[in-house]
Amino acid sequence: MESKYSILLSLLMLQCLSLLCVSQSQDFDFFYFVQQWPGSYCDTKQSCCYPNTGKPSADFGIRGLWPNYKDGSYPSNCDPNNSFNQAKISNLINDMQKNWPSLACPSSNNIQFWRHEWEKHGTCSESALNQHGYFDTALNLKGKTNLLKALKRINPDGNSYNLQTSKLQ
Ligand code: 5GP
């Protein structure tokens, strides 16, 4: 009798542990909000293409919002059952075309890039943000972080910046 109880108890504990593992594999410690400078992307890839929705402005664009772990690793592709659905973000599309353009070739309407970012990174933050919330949060962060303004404060005359002779060293 006693051993029956202990087997039952062990099974229950195993079930709890597996649930804990499933929920922890979805979890993360913090977000990186990543922006890209168009010229750097073009240099790194040695080519780039304007999206067919128009030439991106000369500003940083959103690269992605990435859930990360404190040890430097990150989760990816966490939920194959929650694929990108444009209908869920229809009110954000105009803002996304402007602030989250894809520079990859061949030219595209950016959808593939957003799909990739949601499915690889966004699905791992479902505990905090749904699909609309994920893109909306990234757009809001872009509105709050004016990198061009911050860089102009370091180098107001806009000339090239030499780290060796910089007074900031
Ligand atoms: P990530 O590193 O964000 O997981 O992957 C970026 C992926 O999105 C790459 O595989 C790349 O092919 C695709 N992609 C499409 N457009 C862009 C772009 O403008 N910038 C970057 N970095 N990747 C892009």
Side-chain angles (χ1 to χ4, degrees):
M1 190 67 169
E2 207 175 299
S3 71
K4 258 192 198 163
Y5 275 121
S6 75
I7 291 172
L8 196 67
L9 201 68
S10 309
L11 280 175
L12 274 175
M13 277 171 65
L14 260 179
Q15 205 174 14
C16 289
L17 273 178
S18 61
L19 280 177
L20 207 67
C21 288
V22 170
S23 64
Q24 277 185 346
S25 71
Q26 290 274 337
D27 226 346
F28 62 97
D29 295 319
F30 66 93
F31 279 111
Y32 277 125
F33 173 56
V34 186
Q35 300 189 53
Q36 63 181 4
W37 180 247
S40 304
Y41 177 85
C42 301
D43 277 356
T44 315
K45 298 280 171 191
Q46 293 179 342
S47 80
C48 60
C49 294
Y50 295 152
N52 50 28
T53 46
K55 180 180 173 183
S57 54
D59 191 1
F60 288 87
I62 299 173
R63 163 78 176 269
L65 184 61
W66 299 347
N68 252 72
Y69 296 123
K70 279 187 264 184
D71 68 4
S73 65
Y74 63 90
S76 62
N77 299 96
C78 297
D79 187 357
N81 298 316
N82 191 355
S83 41
F84 177 75
N85 181 348
Q86 205 183 327
K88 290 186 177 166
I89 55 163
S90 51
N91 67 322
L92 305 177
I93 296 289
N94 282 346
D95 209 0
M96 300 215 348
Q97 304 284 22
K98 182 171 173 291
N99 288 296
W100 203 328
S102 167
L103 297 161
C105 297
S107 292
S108 74
N109 59 2
N110 306 312
I111 303 288
Q112 274 309 107
F113 187 25
W114 304 336
R115 177 189 303 282
H116 169 89
E117 291 300 310
W118 165 254
E119 291 178 0
K120 179 173 176 188
H121 303 283
T123 54
C124 301
S125 60
E126 281 170 352
S127 60
L129 298 168
N130 63 21
Q131 207 168 137
H132 185 275
Y134 176 78
F135 290 104
D136 198 29
T137 301
L139 289 171
N140 279 321
L141 287 170
K142 174 74 171 69
K144 285 188 180 138
T145 49
N146 191 335
L147 289 182
L148 280 185
K149 199 169 156 196
L151 288 170
K152 273 193 191 124
R153 247 187 268 140
I154 298 175
N155 188 14
D157 54 12
N159 294 329
S160 62
Y161 179 77
N162 188 328
L163 190 61
Q164 271 69 41
T165 56
S166 158
K167 287 182 207 131
L168 293 174
Q169 270 187 43

